Amino acid sequence: MAPRLCYDARRKGVSGVMMATFGLGKIVLYAADPEAVSAFYARAAGLSFDRVEGTRRYESMSTGGTALVIDLALEPLSRGRRECALSLRVPNLDAVAAGLREDGIDVGPILERPSGLFASLKDPDGRDVELWEPRAKPVSVAPPPLVDKSALDARALSSDKPSVAPEPPSMLELPRIAPPPLPPPPVPLPANVPALVDRPADVEPPAIVDNPAAVEPPAIVDKPPVRLEMHSALDLEKEAKAAVEGATKAEGEGEGAATEKRGTEPPPPPPMMGAPGPVVTAARPAKVSVQGGTKISLYGANFAEGCRVLVDGDDCTKPKRIDDFTLEIEAPPHAPGSAEIVIENPDEQRSVIQIVYDEGPSIERFSPLEGSPRGGTEVVVEGRNFEDGCRVTFFGNRAPEVIFEGPSRIRFVTPPQEQLFHGELRVTNPDGLSALAADLFTYRLATPHAREVSPASGLVGGSKRITVTGVDFHPQCVARLGGRQAAVTFRSAESLELVTPRANEPGPVDLEIENPDGQITKLEGVFTYEAEPTPPLLVEVRPDRGYCAGGQTIRLVGDNFEADTVVRIGEVRAISRTGSRHEIEVELPQRPQPGLVAIELVDRFGVVVRREDAFTYESRPAPRVDGVTPRNGPMVGGTRIVLEGDFFDEHVFVRIGGQAPKRAVVRSATTIEIVAPPSRASGFVDIEVGRGDAGTTVVKNAFRYDPSPAPAIDSVAPNKGSVEGGTEVSIEGKNFVAEAAVLFGGKPAQRVKFVSASTLEVKTPPGKNGEMVDVVVRNPDGKEAITKRAFLYDARYRS
């Protein structure tokens, strides 16, 4: 994502002449979330942003120089690297990084490079941002002029005029200097070089040496000196003679000195003649209010520790030194007009700059004093010294538009507001002077109304959840019960959920709901605090054990039981019925595994009484069969059988020879009555009795099916019928059973009704005209009776 640079580009005029640019105006960063990105740069760079009306564009407020603009991207931006990065210059990187980390911004490690200290971070769009604390540029100071002593001696003898030292040689070439000719007159220094002063009388001249190549240049210093010392050739000659005499005397005093060695040891570099003085280049802002209090930043160089700042000669400020290049002061009150700001270092060197004091705007009246949070309220501001082009900052946001009516009256329309309801108004003139009115306007919400509280009572210990219904509740509203603040959960503008605070004593209390704009709704005595009740008491459980399948009825015996007392067995809520204050009937809930469990009683106030290991869950045993009566019956079934044993209930199942009985009735936990089903074969069969959660009991060869005689047909009447079927026919014979099947010509009858072992009533199936068919009666054991050509289908008959 490349930034858009807004500037006055060079253009060709009509004559083709190139017009010069006015410099860089704005840097525009397109962001997926302009609000988050502008907030980030407000914290990281100390910028202040104004939102452009009707857009998501934020422009940094600046009285001059380049402005930063955050605008909504035209297309969605993927998170990651962007095609630009910003480098923000900071005075103290360690302090800035620590402050950003405290605000939750991830700042990388601080790295040292030749140009200063650096740290990196990312803005909410993933754009790289660099923090840079620049290092002061090192300046090389040329060594003092080096002069050959013999040349100086000759020149001193030949001329009485003082001579000027020649230009020093290049620092890269230091050859022996021959006696120079008389130098030209001194060249005037540039205008931007500070004034020069004469060498103090108490400063010794540098020594003159024979071998200049052995002299090292002075050390590199961090800041260029502002004032320099200049010396004539005669001064240098005197200094050289003094240095040679001192060296000769020292060598003569040494032991074993055979010859005089002059100039073989270089002297130390000359000391600095004084620290550079302060230089102030700019004051921002350059115009301040006569009332004082405006923060002024002073820019320049060589601001020393302990420097003073004077305004028109009065040391009335307490400067904050950011670094060698920046000071911050608070402007004192002052009469209108210009004022002189003097920066004085501890060595009494000074620098001066001018600022202007002006009355600036003043706010005297404001109407109306409240409006809707939806915005749209026209506000009139009256005062003094308003200027055309002034802007209004309302509740920290720039108002959409200001209508300038004159120096004493402006108008604007309030923007929508969702968070703050009392805020400040600031009017800022184009010259940067502003007036502030704090908490002058109120965004007024609709008046809230509470209607009902449910439940309307609770214990003095608090912590009870209640619901308040009404209208026009705000998400930031505050609730109080009996003057104590309650925790609020906002559900909607019509519903709130509160957690009651603790009360000192029982009794009714008032409920208050206050919206953020200060409007309050009150319900008097709507909630009642009750004294802590006597908790329920559990004395006995009857019985104290049961099956894991549940379903049993048990009784809890104790005291202080109520109709809404909740019973939990093994952490599972049970179905219960309170018979009296002393007894509760409970249906035992299911449990997957046997073992000891606790029983809990919870009253209507939430007080819990718990007894550990109060009930035992057991695995249900499988049903047991002790006897079968009778032990045999016909194959056609229908025999009534009684099973005796134990652990029978309505959930058991019974099978005879693998078949379910025609009917089974559990008479008690020890008796079951069944009706035997028919069997296709005679002989002994097993009887099974089981339960899904307990297992199955099998009694081998418990019942015998006896062979049955074959059925016999004596007559079929009538013996003729309709070809459509449905003719009712009565079959007489013997050994018929209820499950017997009847066939006409191999086709099953439409209906078979067992009347008795000697009579069956059936309806014939369809057949062909004139066809004589056989009639067959077949019992469930497979035995059958056949009467040949016993029925005639005749089309003349109708069913």
Side-chain angles (χ1 to χ4, degrees):
M1 179 199 69
R4 186 181 71 186
L5 303 181
C6 300
Y7 60 93
D8 300 320
R10 295 185 177 183
R11 301 182 179 180
K12 282 189 177 182
V14 176
S15 62
V17 179
M18 297 297 291
M19 299 175 62
T21 66
F22 291 95
L24 188 62
K26 299 178 181 178
I27 297 178
V28 182
L29 302 181
Y30 290 101
D33 188 350
E35 290 76 13
V37 175
S38 60
F40 170 84
Y41 285 104
R43 294 196 305 270
L47 300 177
S48 179
F49 289 89
D50 283 336
R51 180 174 180 175
V52 180
E53 177 189 9
T55 69
R56 295 181 66 185
R57 179 184 177 98
Y58 293 81
E59 296 186 357
S60 65
M61 294 184 293
S62 176
T63 57
T66 304
L68 179 64
V69 179
I70 312 296
D71 204 350
L72 180 65
L74 301 180
E75 297 180 356
L77 301 175
S78 60
R79 181 165 182 82
R81 295 186 62 83
R82 296 292 186 263
E83 296 177 8
C84 75
L86 297 182
S87 181
L88 306 177
R89 173 173 171 168
V90 298
N92 187 334
L93 181 55
D94 289 328
V96 172
L100 293 176
R101 292 187 182 108
E102 290 179 359
D103 289 342
I105 299 177
D106 186 13
V107 180
I110 297 178
L111 305 177
E112 184 172 2
R113 299 175 185 165
S115 58
L117 301 178
F118 293 83
S120 63
L121 60 155
K122 290 184 180 294
D123 69 10
D125 276 333
R127 186 181 298 105
D128 291 326
V129 179
E130 178 183 81
L131 303 179
W132 168 43
E133 179 184 339
R135 191 193 308 280
K137 282 190 175 181
V139 177
S140 299
V141 179
L146 303 177
V147 182
D148 188 0
K149 179 181 180 302
S150 61
L152 289 177
D153 291 341
R155 186 170 299 278
L157 296 175
S158 62
S159 176
D160 294 335
K161 295 182 180 180
S163 58
V164 180
E167 293 293 331
S170 170
M171 294 182 67
L172 300 179
E173 299 177 359
L174 297 174
R176 180 180 297 276
I177 300 176
L182 290 176
V187 179
L189 294 174
N192 58 352
V193 177
L196 304 179
V197 297
D198 292 334
R199 175 176 59 85
D202 57 346
V203 177
E204 291 296 327
I208 305 301
V209 298
D210 290 340
N211 187 8
V215 179
E216 296 182 357
I220 302 298
V221 296
D222 287 341
K223 297 181 178 60
V226 177
R227 298 179 177 174
L228 304 177
E229 296 287 339
M230 296 186 66
H231 307 281
S232 66
L234 183 59
D235 293 333
L236 294 176
E237 179 184 356
K238 294 178 181 179
E239 294 171 1
K241 288 182 179 180
V244 170
E245 292 174 359
T248 303
K249 182 178 180 181
E251 290 176 353
E253 294 174 355
E255 293 183 359
T259 60
E260 183 179 7
K261 298 181 180 180
R262 298 171 56 192
T264 57
E265 293 296 332
M272 295 295 295
M273 292 298 102
V279 176
V280 59
T281 59
R284 295 289 185 272
K287 180 186 285 188
V288 297
S289 172
V290 295
Q291 299 176 358
T294 304
K295 299 292 183 182
I296 302 177
S297 296
L298 303 174
Y299 301 99
N302 306 326
F303 299 154
E305 287 281 358
C307 64
R308 295 194 306 157
V309 177
L310 298 90
V311 179
D312 274 355
D314 296 331
D315 187 4
C316 54
T317 64
K318 190 173 183 180
K320 178 181 178 182
R321 180 178 178 273
I322 306 302
D323 53 25
D324 289 352
F325 313 100
T326 308
L327 290 176
E328 288 184 356
I329 65 170
E330 182 176 307
H334 192 280
S338 63
E340 184 179 78
I341 295 181
V342 177
I343 300 176
E344 181 181 273
N345 278 352
D347 60 1
E348 298 185 356
Q349 298 186 79
R350 294 186 170 194
S351 184
V352 180
I353 196 168
Q354 298 284 333
I355 63 170
V356 175
Y357 275 92
D358 199 309
E359 286 190 3
S362 174
I363 300 174
E364 297 176 350
R365 284 178 294 277
F366 188 91
S367 177
L369 298 179
E370 62 182 38
S372 170
R374 291 187 292 270
T377 303
E378 184 176 75
V379 175
V380 176
V381 183
E382 296 179 333
R384 303 191 315 274
N385 303 326
F386 299 146
E387 296 180 2
D388 192 8
C390 65
R391 68 171 184 265
V392 171
T393 304
F394 195 60
F395 282 51
N397 296 318
R398 187 168 179 175
E401 181 181 359
V402 177
I403 301 173
F404 178 79
E405 296 185 353
S408 61
R409 181 183 174 96
I410 59 175
R411 291 185 290 121
F412 70 95
V413 177
T414 60
Q417 179 63 253
E418 296 180 357
Q419 299 296 326
L420 300 175
F421 295 91
H422 308 279
E424 65 179 24
L425 168 74
R426 182 183 294 273
V427 178
T428 304
N429 280 343
D431 59 7
L433 298 182
S434 64
L436 176 68
D439 295 335
L440 195 62
F441 185 86
T442 299
Y443 277 106
R444 186 67 66 190
L445 298 170
T447 304
H449 291 283
R451 295 173 178 169
E452 185 181 2
V453 176
S454 177
S457 63
L459 298 180
V460 293
S463 300
K464 186 176 184 65
R465 292 187 178 275
I466 63 175
T467 300
V468 180
T469 56
V471 293
D472 296 326
F473 298 145
H474 190 272
Q476 299 177 18
C477 67
V478 176
R480 291 181 288 271
L481 269 175
R484 297 173 181 265
Q485 186 165 330
V488 179
T489 301
F490 179 81
R491 300 300 183 192
S492 67
E494 294 78 29
S495 178
L496 302 175
E497 184 177 282
L498 311 184
V499 177
T500 61
R502 177 180 291 272
N504 293 330
E505 58 185 8
V509 295
D510 300 340
L511 168 69
E512 292 181 346
I513 305 294
E514 181 178 358
N515 275 351
D517 62 351
Q519 297 191 84
I520 299 175
T521 179
K522 183 176 182 179
L523 293 178
E524 296 184 355
V526 70
F527 185 82
T528 301
Y529 278 103
E530 298 179 347
E532 296 287 350
T534 303
L537 175 64
L538 179 60
V539 176
E540 187 180 3
V541 181
R542 301 175 182 170
D544 62 356
R545 60 188 58 241
Y547 297 129
C548 294
Q552 294 175 259
T553 299
I554 63 175
R555 288 175 173 80
L556 306 181
V557 180
D559 199 3
N560 300 325
F561 297 158
E562 298 180 350
D564 50 4
T565 300
V566 175
V567 179
R568 294 191 182 97
I569 300 179
E571 318 302 334
V572 178
R573 182 168 179 171
I575 298 174
S576 62
R577 183 183 67 83
T578 302
S580 68
R581 286 182 56 86
H582 307 290
E583 185 176 275
I584 300 177
E585 289 186 354
V586 182
E587 181 180 325
L588 187 65
Q590 294 181 354
R591 183 174 176 82
Q593 295 178 345
L596 291 170
V597 296
I599 294 180
E600 287 184 349
L601 301 178
V602 185
D603 67 9
R604 60 191 176 95
F605 299 106
V607 178
V608 179
V609 174
R610 181 183 178 95
R611 175 182 286 189
E612 300 291 343
D613 301 337
F615 190 82
T616 302
Y617 274 99
E618 298 176 337
S619 297
R620 181 186 295 274
R624 187 181 76 239
V625 179
D626 297 330
V628 178
T629 305
R631 300 294 300 273
N632 66 309
M635 293 173 53
V636 295
T639 304
R640 294 182 181 276
I641 304 173
V642 176
L643 304 180
E644 294 179 331
D646 201 358
F647 309 117
F648 299 154
D649 60 19
E650 64 272 16
H651 299 292
V652 299
F653 61 87
V654 180
R655 293 189 183 93
I656 299 179
Q659 300 183 77
K662 290 183 177 181
R663 186 167 60 91
V665 179
V666 179
R667 297 299 181 184
S668 68
T670 59
T671 305
I672 299 176
E673 292 182 0
I674 63 174
V675 176
S679 175
R680 295 184 177 276
S682 60
F684 288 96
V685 295
D686 301 335
I687 293 180
E688 302 174 50
V689 181
R691 183 184 171 97
D693 60 347
T696 302
T697 297
V698 179
V699 182
K700 294 291 187 180
N701 299 325
F703 187 79
R704 186 187 71 226
Y705 278 105
D706 296 329
S708 300
I713 300 175
D714 293 336
S715 65
V716 176
N719 61 356
K720 297 179 182 179
S722 171
V723 296
E724 297 174 355
T727 302
E728 293 187 355
V729 176
S730 177
I731 303 175
E732 301 292 335
K734 57 184 178 181
N735 301 325
F736 299 153
V737 296
E739 288 79 15
V742 178
L743 297 89
F744 287 79
K747 298 178 181 179
Q750 293 182 358
R751 179 177 66 85
V752 178
K753 179 181 179 182
F754 176 79
V755 179
S756 66
S758 60
T759 303
L760 297 175
E761 292 181 355
V762 301
K763 283 187 177 183
T764 61
K768 295 180 180 180
N769 185 35
E771 182 180 17
M772 294 287 292
V773 297
D774 300 338
V775 175
V776 178
V777 176
R778 183 179 298 158
N779 281 347
D781 60 0
K783 295 179 181 180
E784 61 184 25
I786 302 175
T787 301
K788 296 290 187 179
R789 300 173 63 83
F791 187 82
L792 173 65
Y793 282 100
D794 191 337
R796 294 174 297 176
Y797 289 91
R798 296 289 184 268
S799 56

